């Protein structure tokens, strides 16, 4: 029984990471109608930046802040330069191919600069694992969960309590109408990309000690994040969080208890979730139906 | 006095030109209806006026040229409200949030006051203020879309086929509501509408549109009596 | 700046090259290809064979993406199916190579059809999500089936030895096989894209509702296209095993799937000859680039995808058309001095 609870908690703490990357995917999808397959690699790049800065002697908290800020700028720049013209031309195929291109560019740029040697990113907090009842959780994981909760809360406030957040939601809902009302649609798009990239980078830095920082570090996470976003609804931020947690738990339990899957083949669970959800309920748990219309 | 003066306006979609040298003007405070067959370019005219599609020629709103300058400002800031065909409400936002989005550029206090006013005028919307707009009926969504556009206090309201897809009874209610709004506030409206019968009743002036061109402006009352128009548009 | 971009992005019509010129050039090129393997060093034969490998798989993907507008990252999976079929049947079991071709094509077709049954009900966006997942799990799936595939260690094979009567070296013999299969694949693709199916597919790509109204059965056509393109990929996989003589799980991940997409993007989406140019690109350009740095070869794929999609959506073929147009139209003008040249063409030439 203890193992079971331990598995659930492990699944949830992993699920938080999936949820964060899924949230990035959703933010970008809502503005640009693109599932940005380069999202996870942009996060990894941010992880490298933080490592590099701290390796140059910048204090780690400051290095994190700078890396997150740089990622925000990178995401925003990508939206303004490459993505927006194609989005406005409704060229979804080109957007998709370019997101693959950016993924490949980022992996190889990272490999060129930093190589495949795993970089040791420090933990933000050290010390023995904390026990809650009979379940053990490492301190770093608790930090990850706390950071994720803060991110979710900030996004909630932004979306639900601010004027600009209202404009972001309106622009995601119906872009032509939002433009007719004079809402700052372009600014919402740029900001969404920036926020998505910043969230990814923050998560990448926090998971780097356990995932081993090297090019392509978060590619396995990308698979689960896509599954999470699909399950929750590709245009629903709340769905992304719920989807991430569910995928984390299911994947972990399946790896332990379902015969024939095992720890190495857990990724099949993500594939089955994506396929199953898209066939049975294409809009996911909380997504809007309009997404499904071709 | 003319609020809007359009001169030699041309517009279309890519290589396809829909509007050919359209010139007309509309009077401040009046409701002007554009009548015309399907494909005459009525919706295109509204889209060109609100900058949704590129256009050449001249559009002057109260002496301010909209087509000059390198970058057009958002039309909402220039004083034009556009309720597009198909309503375009934010389905995933609540009724109240839709209205707030409409008042985005106005001070917070005024927005609160306007929202209260709209809810007084349309108790149906007030009852549903926290519901998602997607759950409203077609007629309610149309009212919401109009109210949302008016939240910005536009000088000129462009209304594209408000009765489209509504049951006849709903259409009647909608026009009653439009009349009620007119009594409450001064507004200038350019209305594109299939239902010539109802729209000529509410309108002061009418423009006839055929094949991308607009004829001379005529009083709506004259068109109501005109035998030819009756046959062409009113099905009598 | 934007004027230049617009000029670059402008779609170009097919060059009005006379049929006989195409035919003569085609036959000459093929004659050269028949002769070249006999006098080329072995590494260059291997590179040429790899071009054929990518061309065959790329032609399959071209059928799908170029003509129906659907995109698949899953073709690396079908390619792997073919590669492992050859490695297991002809390598481990020692069956003749032609059997591997037939089995791989059939298996690829069947798996493509089975995968397409649910997947093709999805929107293009959703299909990209599912096939991304397929690409990401392919290596772990292969490792999971280690009783057949030997997991991460992979299978070294010795297949496709030349028969004694030919007097050829192994690399020459295998290149001939690759050329033959690539030629067949090329002709089949041309036939499919110009015939009835091709028109149906283009209709589906450009306007689904209209094509459906006109009696194109969307699901049937799409399933057929998807299965056929998967079969092409599987055949490409068999060639891969012949050329490399080794299969390993990690070769068939996301990077490989993206390389296949690079093949059809670089040449020019929707152009059959473009696929060949794309295959040449992914074999040669990265190997030149890797002299600079090992990462440069990967980088060049990514840059090519972004640049070609964003700046030159017509691909290399589009560029050739832009350059070739003035030349070809002048040629036409000289041939028909009696009549004035067609004004439209002249204008296109001046642009």
């Amino acid at each position: 029984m203890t193992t079971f609870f331990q598995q659930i908690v492990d699944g949830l703490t992993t699920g938080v990471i999936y949820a964060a990357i899924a949230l990035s995917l959703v933010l970008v999808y809502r503005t640009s109608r693109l599932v940005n397959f380069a999202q996870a690699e942009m996060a990894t790049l941010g992880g490298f930046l933080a490592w590099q800065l701290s390796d140059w002697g910048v204090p780690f908290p400051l290095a994190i802040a700078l890396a997150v800020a740089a990622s925000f700028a990178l995401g925003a720049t990508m939206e303004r330069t490459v993505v927006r013209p194609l989005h406005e031309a409704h060229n979804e195929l080109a957007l998709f191919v370019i997101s693959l291109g950016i993924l490949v560019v980022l992996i190889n740029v990272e490999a060129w600069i930093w190589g495949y040697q795993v970089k040791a990113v420090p933990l933000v907090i050290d010390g023995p694992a904390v026990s809650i009842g009979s379940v053990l959780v490492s301190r770093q994981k608790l930090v990850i969960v706390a950071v994720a909760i803060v991110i979710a809360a900030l996004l909630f406030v932004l979306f639900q309590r601010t004027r600009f957040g209202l404009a972001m939601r309106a622009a995601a809902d119906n872009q032509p109408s939002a433009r007719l009302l004079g809402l700052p649609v372009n600014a919402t798009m740029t900001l969404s990309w920036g926020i998505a990239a910043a969230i990814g980078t923050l998560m990448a830095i926090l998971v780097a000690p356990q995932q081993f920082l090297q090019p392509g570090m978060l590619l396995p996470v990308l698979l689960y994040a896509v599954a999470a976003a699909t399950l929750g609804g590709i245009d629903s931020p709340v769905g992304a969080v719920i989807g991430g947690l569910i995928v984390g738990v299911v994947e972990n339990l399946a790896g332990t208890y379902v015969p024939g899957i095992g720890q190495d083949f857990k990724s099949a669970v993500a594939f089955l979730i994506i396929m199953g959800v898209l066939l049975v309920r294409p809009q996911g748990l909380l997504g809007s139906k309009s997404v499904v219309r071709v | 006095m003319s609020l809007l003066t359009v001169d030699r306006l041309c517009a279309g979609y890519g290589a396809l030109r829909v509007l050919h040298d359209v010139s007309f003007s509309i009077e401040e405070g009046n409701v002007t209806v554009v009548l015309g067959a399907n494909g005459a370019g009525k919706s295109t005219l509204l889209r060109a006026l609100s900058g949704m599609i590129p256009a050449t020629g001249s559009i002057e709103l109260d002496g301010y040229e909209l087509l000059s300058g390198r970058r057009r400002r958002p039309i909402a800031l220039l004083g034009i409200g556009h309720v597009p065909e198909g309503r375009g409400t934010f389905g995933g936002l609540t009724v109240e949030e839709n209205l707030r989005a409409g008042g985005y550029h106005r001070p917070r206090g005024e927005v609160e006051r306007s929202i209260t006013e709209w809810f007084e005028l349309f108790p149906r919307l007030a009852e549903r203020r926290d519901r998602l707009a997607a759950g409203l009926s077609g007629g309610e969504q149309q009212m919401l879309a109009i109210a949302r556009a008016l939240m910005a206090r536009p000088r000129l309201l462009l209304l594209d086929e408000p009765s489209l897809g509504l049951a006849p009874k709903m259409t009647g209610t909608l026009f009653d509501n439009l009349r009620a709004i007119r009594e409450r506030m001064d507004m200038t409206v350019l209305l594109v509408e299939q239902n010539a019968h109802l729209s000529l009743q509410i309108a002061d002036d009418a423009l006839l549109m055929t094949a991308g061109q607009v004829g001379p402006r005529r009083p709506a009352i004259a068109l109501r009596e005109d035998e030819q128009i009756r046959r062409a548009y009113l099905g009598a | 700046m934007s004027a230049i971009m617009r000029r670059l992005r402008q779609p170009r019509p097919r060059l009005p090259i006379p049929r006989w010129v195409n035919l003569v050039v085609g036959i000459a090129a093929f004659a050269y290809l028949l002769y070249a393997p006999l006098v080329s060093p072995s590494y260059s034969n291997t590179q040429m064979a790899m071009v054929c490998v990518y061309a065959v798989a790329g032609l399959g993907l071209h059928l799908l993406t170029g003509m129906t507008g659907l995109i698949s990252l899953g073709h690396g999976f079908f390619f792997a199916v073919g590669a492992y079929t050859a490695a297991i049947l002809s390598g481990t079991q020692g069956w003749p190579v032609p059997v591997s071709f037939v089995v791989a094509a059939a298996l690829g077709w069947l798996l493509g059809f089975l995968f397409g049954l649910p997947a093709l009900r999805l929107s293009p966006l959703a299909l990209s999500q599912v096939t991304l997942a397929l690409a990401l799990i392919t290596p772990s799936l292969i490792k999971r089936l280690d009783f057949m595939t030997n997991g991460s260690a992979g299978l070294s094979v010795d297949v496709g030895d030349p028969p004694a009567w030919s007097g050829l070296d192994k690399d020459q013999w295998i290149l001939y096989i690759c050329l033959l299969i690539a030629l067949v694949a090329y002709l089949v693709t041309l036939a499919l894209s110009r015939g009835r199916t091709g028109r149906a597919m283009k209709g589906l790509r450009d306007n689904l509702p209209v094509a459906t109204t006109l009696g194109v059965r969307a699901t049937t056509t799409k399933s057929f296209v998807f299965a056929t393109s998967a079969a092409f990929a599987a055949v490409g996989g068999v060639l891969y095993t012949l050329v490399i003589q080794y299969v390993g799980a990690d070769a068939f991940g996301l990077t490989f799937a993206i390389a296949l997409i690079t093949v059809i993007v670089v040449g020019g989406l929707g152009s059959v000859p473009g696929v060949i140019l794309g295959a040449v690109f992914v074999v040669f350009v990265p190997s030149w680039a890797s002299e600079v740095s090992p990462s440069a070869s990967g980088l060049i794929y990514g840059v090519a995808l972004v640049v070609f999609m964003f700046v030159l959506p017509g691909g290399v073929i589009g560029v050739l058309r832009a350059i070739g147009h003035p030349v070809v139209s002048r040629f036409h003008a000289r041939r028909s001095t009696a009549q004035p040249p067609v004004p439209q063409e002249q204008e296109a030439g001046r642009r």
Side-chain angles (χ1 to χ4, degrees), chain B residues 129-143:
Chain B
R129 65 188 299 166
D130 293 325
R131 297 253 203 100
L132 296 187
L136 300 186
S137 75
E140 289 162 355
Q141 288 203 26
Q142 187 64 55
M143 281 322 300

PDB file of all heavy atoms in Angstrom, chain B residues 129-143:
ATOM      1  N   ARG B 129     -25.652  37.041 -16.729  1.00  0.00           N
ATOM      2  CA  ARG B 129     -24.386  37.779 -16.763  1.00  0.00           C
ATOM      3  C   ARG B 129     -23.167  36.905 -16.495  1.00  0.00           C
ATOM      4  O   ARG B 129     -22.094  37.159 -17.024  1.00  0.00           O
ATOM      5  CB  ARG B 129     -24.419  38.948 -15.766  1.00  0.00           C
ATOM      6  CG  ARG B 129     -24.520  38.505 -14.310  1.00  0.00           C
ATOM      7  CD  ARG B 129     -24.750  39.691 -13.403  1.00  0.00           C
ATOM      8  NE  ARG B 129     -23.667  40.675 -13.455  1.00  0.00           N
ATOM      9  CZ  ARG B 129     -23.772  41.892 -12.958  1.00  0.00           C
ATOM     10  NH1 ARG B 129     -24.906  42.292 -12.401  1.00  0.00           N
ATOM     11  NH2 ARG B 129     -22.762  42.709 -13.003  1.00  0.00           N
ATOM     12  N   ASP B 130     -23.329  35.857 -15.701  1.00  0.00           N
ATOM     13  CA  ASP B 130     -22.178  35.002 -15.392  1.00  0.00           C
ATOM     14  C   ASP B 130     -22.131  33.732 -16.228  1.00  0.00           C
ATOM     15  O   ASP B 130     -21.315  32.846 -15.986  1.00  0.00           O
ATOM     16  CB  ASP B 130     -22.169  34.646 -13.903  1.00  0.00           C
ATOM     17  CG  ASP B 130     -21.909  35.878 -13.052  1.00  0.00           C
ATOM     18  OD1 ASP B 130     -21.127  36.736 -13.510  1.00  0.00           O
ATOM     19  OD2 ASP B 130     -22.509  35.998 -11.973  1.00  0.00           O
ATOM     20  N   ARG B 131     -23.056  33.637 -17.196  1.00  0.00           N
ATOM     21  CA  ARG B 131     -23.021  32.467 -18.077  1.00  0.00           C
ATOM     22  C   ARG B 131     -22.077  32.727 -19.242  1.00  0.00           C
ATOM     23  O   ARG B 131     -21.845  33.864 -19.627  1.00  0.00           O
ATOM     24  CB  ARG B 131     -24.418  32.228 -18.671  1.00  0.00           C
ATOM     25  CG  ARG B 131     -25.440  31.899 -17.633  1.00  0.00           C
ATOM     26  CD  ARG B 131     -25.801  30.427 -17.692  1.00  0.00           C
ATOM     27  NE  ARG B 131     -27.125  30.251 -17.094  1.00  0.00           N
ATOM     28  CZ  ARG B 131     -28.217  30.121 -17.818  1.00  0.00           C
ATOM     29  NH1 ARG B 131     -28.149  30.156 -19.133  1.00  0.00           N
ATOM     30  NH2 ARG B 131     -29.380  29.961 -17.229  1.00  0.00           N
ATOM     31  N   LEU B 132     -21.578  31.636 -19.843  1.00  0.00           N
ATOM     32  CA  LEU B 132     -20.755  31.790 -21.031  1.00  0.00           C
ATOM     33  C   LEU B 132     -21.633  32.216 -22.204  1.00  0.00           C
ATOM     34  O   LEU B 132     -22.747  31.726 -22.368  1.00  0.00           O
ATOM     35  CB  LEU B 132     -20.059  30.469 -21.375  1.00  0.00           C
ATOM     36  CG  LEU B 132     -19.052  29.954 -20.339  1.00  0.00           C
ATOM     37  CD1 LEU B 132     -18.323  28.739 -20.880  1.00  0.00           C
ATOM     38  CD2 LEU B 132     -18.052  31.043 -19.966  1.00  0.00           C
ATOM     39  N   ALA B 133     -21.098  33.097 -23.028  1.00  0.00           N
ATOM     40  CA  ALA B 133     -21.869  33.617 -24.152  1.00  0.00           C
ATOM     41  C   ALA B 133     -22.274  32.499 -25.108  1.00  0.00           C
ATOM     42  O   ALA B 133     -23.312  32.577 -25.759  1.00  0.00           O
ATOM     43  CB  ALA B 133     -21.073  34.676 -24.895  1.00  0.00           C
ATOM     44  N   ALA B 134     -21.458  31.446 -25.181  1.00  0.00           N
ATOM     45  CA  ALA B 134     -21.763  30.355 -26.104  1.00  0.00           C
ATOM     46  C   ALA B 134     -23.099  29.709 -25.769  1.00  0.00           C
ATOM     47  O   ALA B 134     -23.752  29.128 -26.641  1.00  0.00           O
ATOM     48  CB  ALA B 134     -20.652  29.311 -26.071  1.00  0.00           C
ATOM     49  N   GLY B 135     -23.517  29.810 -24.505  1.00  0.00           N
ATOM     50  CA  GLY B 135     -24.760  29.168 -24.098  1.00  0.00           C
ATOM     51  C   GLY B 135     -26.005  29.997 -24.386  1.00  0.00           C
ATOM     52  O   GLY B 135     -27.126  29.529 -24.142  1.00  0.00           O
ATOM     53  N   LEU B 136     -25.834  31.225 -24.885  1.00  0.00           N
ATOM     54  CA  LEU B 136     -27.005  32.069 -25.152  1.00  0.00           C
ATOM     55  C   LEU B 136     -27.689  31.655 -26.451  1.00  0.00           C
ATOM     56  O   LEU B 136     -27.076  31.034 -27.317  1.00  0.00           O
ATOM     57  CB  LEU B 136     -26.578  33.535 -25.264  1.00  0.00           C
ATOM     58  CG  LEU B 136     -25.901  34.180 -24.070  1.00  0.00           C
ATOM     59  CD1 LEU B 136     -25.694  35.658 -24.328  1.00  0.00           C
ATOM     60  CD2 LEU B 136     -26.702  33.982 -22.806  1.00  0.00           C
ATOM     61  N   SER B 137     -28.961  32.054 -26.585  1.00  0.00           N
ATOM     62  CA  SER B 137     -29.660  31.804 -27.843  1.00  0.00           C
ATOM     63  C   SER B 137     -29.131  32.783 -28.895  1.00  0.00           C
ATOM     64  O   SER B 137     -28.449  33.754 -28.570  1.00  0.00           O
ATOM     65  CB  SER B 137     -31.150  32.011 -27.655  1.00  0.00           C
ATOM     66  OG  SER B 137     -31.434  33.388 -27.575  1.00  0.00           O
ATOM     67  N   GLY B 138     -29.470  32.515 -30.160  1.00  0.00           N
ATOM     68  CA  GLY B 138     -28.985  33.370 -31.241  1.00  0.00           C
ATOM     69  C   GLY B 138     -29.383  34.819 -31.046  1.00  0.00           C
ATOM     70  O   GLY B 138     -28.569  35.735 -31.233  1.00  0.00           O
ATOM     71  N   GLY B 139     -30.632  35.056 -30.669  1.00  0.00           N
ATOM     72  CA  GLY B 139     -31.111  36.420 -30.484  1.00  0.00           C
ATOM     73  C   GLY B 139     -30.390  37.109 -29.341  1.00  0.00           C
ATOM     74  O   GLY B 139     -30.003  38.281 -29.441  1.00  0.00           O
ATOM     75  N   GLU B 140     -30.182  36.350 -28.249  1.00  0.00           N
ATOM     76  CA  GLU B 140     -29.478  36.928 -27.101  1.00  0.00           C
ATOM     77  C   GLU B 140     -28.034  37.259 -27.468  1.00  0.00           C
ATOM     78  O   GLU B 140     -27.502  38.307 -27.078  1.00  0.00           O
ATOM     79  CB  GLU B 140     -29.505  35.947 -25.930  1.00  0.00           C
ATOM     80  CG  GLU B 140     -30.881  35.812 -25.307  1.00  0.00           C
ATOM     81  CD  GLU B 140     -31.017  34.548 -24.452  1.00  0.00           C
ATOM     82  OE1 GLU B 140     -30.062  33.735 -24.435  1.00  0.00           O
ATOM     83  OE2 GLU B 140     -32.069  34.376 -23.831  1.00  0.00           O
ATOM     84  N   GLN B 141     -27.415  36.359 -28.235  1.00  0.00           N
ATOM     85  CA  GLN B 141     -26.039  36.632 -28.651  1.00  0.00           C
ATOM     86  C   GLN B 141     -25.962  37.886 -29.514  1.00  0.00           C
ATOM     87  O   GLN B 141     -25.031  38.675 -29.407  1.00  0.00           O
ATOM     88  CB  GLN B 141     -25.484  35.440 -29.449  1.00  0.00           C
ATOM     89  CG  GLN B 141     -25.200  34.256 -28.586  1.00  0.00           C
ATOM     90  CD  GLN B 141     -24.173  33.325 -29.218  1.00  0.00           C
ATOM     91  OE1 GLN B 141     -23.355  33.740 -30.012  1.00  0.00           O
ATOM     92  NE2 GLN B 141     -24.226  32.064 -28.848  1.00  0.00           N
ATOM     93  N   GLN B 142     -26.957  38.053 -30.379  1.00  0.00           N
ATOM     94  CA  GLN B 142     -26.956  39.238 -31.234  1.00  0.00           C
ATOM     95  C   GLN B 142     -27.083  40.502 -30.388  1.00  0.00           C
ATOM     96  O   GLN B 142     -26.359  41.476 -30.612  1.00  0.00           O
ATOM     97  CB  GLN B 142     -28.114  39.159 -32.242  1.00  0.00           C
ATOM     98  CG  GLN B 142     -28.094  40.259 -33.273  1.00  0.00           C
ATOM     99  CD  GLN B 142     -26.864  40.192 -34.160  1.00  0.00           C
ATOM    100  OE1 GLN B 142     -26.576  39.183 -34.779  1.00  0.00           O
ATOM    101  NE2 GLN B 142     -26.090  41.267 -34.190  1.00  0.00           N
ATOM    102  N   MET B 143     -27.949  40.466 -29.391  1.00  0.00           N
ATOM    103  CA  MET B 143     -28.098  41.633 -28.521  1.00  0.00           C
ATOM    104  C   MET B 143     -26.789  41.887 -27.775  1.00  0.00           C
ATOM    105  O   MET B 143     -26.363  43.022 -27.607  1.00  0.00           O
ATOM    106  CB  MET B 143     -29.231  41.425 -27.504  1.00  0.00           C
ATOM    107  CG  MET B 143     -30.624  41.640 -28.036  1.00  0.00           C
ATOM    108  SD  MET B 143     -30.727  43.012 -29.209  1.00  0.00           S
ATOM    109  CE  MET B 143     -30.178  44.381 -28.188  1.00  0.00           C
TER     110      MET B 143
END
